[in-house]
Every structure is written in C-alpha cells, then in structure tokens.
Amino acid sequence: YSYLWKNKIRNKIRNKINIFIALPIVVEDSINILNVVSKIFFIKQRKNFKVFIKPHPTMKIEVLKKYLNKFDRKHFKITFGNIDKLLSITDILISSMSITCLEAIALGIPVINVKRSIGLSFNSIPKEIPREIWRHCSSEKEILNAINFFTYKLSIKSKSRQNIGKLVRKNYFEPVTKKKVINFLNLH
C-alpha cells in the first residue's frame, strides 16, 4: 500500500468523469453490481462518464465477457491494470466488500459501496469515516443519487476529501519503511 503516500489526490475535474468499478470476489455480487450499474451507464448512455471495469483477480474473464456481451462496449472498458494506476485516474469508485474502497478513500476518492443482494452484507468502510466521501447503496436510484452527489462534490470540497484521505491513511494504513519492516518481522 506504499502508493497511498505517493499518489496525489485529484483536484481537477475533466469533461468526463472516470468511474472505476472494482468487482468483488463473489460472482453473484459482481453480476448484481453490473446489473444495477448497467441501467445507469449503458442503457441510459451517459456520455459524460467513462467506466472502467476491473474483475476480481479470481474471476474468469469468460464469465465477465459472457455477461457484458449484451452491452455496447464503447461506453466502458474492461481493464486488468494495477489498482494504484487505476485509482490515480478515478473520480468515483463503485465496489462491494473490498479493501479497494478504503484505499480509494485514503486517496480522497468518493466511494459507492454496493450492498450485497444475497447473504450477509459486509461494509468494508469503518463507521468512523465521514459519509461525505462514501455511500452504502443497494438500488439503482440510490447509486444514481450517489453518483450525482459525488459528481457535484468533485468540483468543490477537494480540501475536505484530502483531509479525510490523510486521516484514513494515518489510521488504517502504514507506510512501508525499512525500520517498520524490521519491527514487523521482529528482527531488531
């Protein structure tokens, strides 16, 4: 997680909003996210958004492609890039039950954490983190409202997002240094 101290928190807003969808490990949860989000981005064809979809490393690409074949691919891109590189161009993250949610917040990136449609729902974002940078959503309407809220907030309050990111890095992550590795391995 050393990149959390190297990546700069984005302040600029471009003419397109980059939405990064980090799919979770459970295939059913991934399909649920894609179902809900597809109605927002693919069916309504929002042209001011660019959508990047990254499958979980354990997901077979055939499963994802089979499901995504019903959508026009010019509105999204399937990517296998490194999380740190993807987060460096991300304006809003959509995911579920993933440490990526906390990483994004540590970089000042707003997060939409999608509730599970089946089984127990696990929120990977601690309750102490201010809700101004994240939302816990389950329906298309809730997700659309969160996207609209964060899209508006991207142009303002970047200092607030930066402060929340610093607090999350301080409280939930540790920079990697030689001294800290030696202490962790108990080699002193």
Side-chain angles (χ1 to χ4, degrees):
Y1 300 105
S2 62
Y3 75 90
L4 294 175
W5 283 267
K6 294 176 187 171
N7 279 3
K8 298 240 189 275
I9 293 176
R10 294 171 46 111
N11 289 320
K12 292 201 289 189
I13 186 116
R14 293 183 304 269
N15 56 353
K16 288 215 182 234
I17 305 294
N18 288 333
I19 306 276
F20 171 27
I21 301 173
L23 295 176
I25 190 168
V26 179
V27 173
E28 291 80 9
D29 293 335
S30 294
I31 290 171
N32 176 54
I33 290 173
L34 292 171
N35 270 331
V36 173
V37 172
S38 67
K39 293 174 186 170
I40 296 168
F41 294 109
F42 308 124
I43 294 171
K44 295 181 181 172
Q45 296 194 6
R46 298 173 159 266
K47 296 182 186 332
N48 57 332
F49 291 95
K50 184 161 185 157
V51 180
F52 299 90
I53 300 172
K54 179 174 174 42
H56 190 276
T58 61
M59 179 182 277
K60 293 181 180 173
I61 190 63
E62 295 80 26
V63 172
L64 183 63
K65 283 183 179 178
K66 179 181 175 188
Y67 182 76
L68 290 176
N69 276 339
K70 58 177 129 176
F71 301 114
D72 180 1
R73 291 201 188 184
K74 68 181 176 185
H75 297 289
F76 69 91
K77 179 182 177 187
I78 298 173
T79 183
F80 301 94
N82 293 333
I83 291 289
D84 58 328
K85 297 213 185 322
L86 290 167
L87 288 175
S88 73
I89 62 166
T90 297
D91 295 305
I92 299 170
L93 172 75
I94 299 175
S95 192
S96 179
M97 302 185 320
S98 174
I99 186 66
T100 305
C101 295
L102 202 55
E103 291 173 68
I105 292 171
L107 293 170
I109 299 167
V111 171
I112 298 170
N113 188 34
V114 180
K115 294 178 186 174
R116 295 187 74 200
S117 60
I118 55 171
L120 295 175
S121 196
F122 169 73
N123 187 356
S124 56
I125 303 169
K127 292 177 185 175
E128 297 79 26
I129 297 174
R131 295 287 305 251
E132 71 183 79
I133 198 164
W134 69 277
R135 294 287 186 269
H136 201 55
C137 302
S138 57
S139 69
E140 176 187 349
K141 182 179 180 181
E142 288 177 351
I143 293 170
L144 182 58
N145 287 341
I147 290 169
N148 290 335
F149 173 81
F150 291 135
T151 299
Y152 172 74
K153 292 287 186 181
L154 286 174
S155 60
I156 58 172
K157 300 231 181 203
S158 66
K159 191 69 171 165
S160 175
R161 288 194 327 271
Q162 289 176 0
N163 290 336
I164 292 169
K166 285 178 188 175
L167 185 66
V168 168
R169 284 193 305 274
K170 178 184 173 210
N171 292 336
Y172 298 98
F173 295 96
E174 193 70 35
V176 179
T177 65
K178 184 176 181 179
K179 181 180 178 184
K180 290 181 180 182
V181 170
I182 289 170
N183 284 341
F184 176 74
L185 297 174
N186 206 15
L187 296 174
H188 44 332

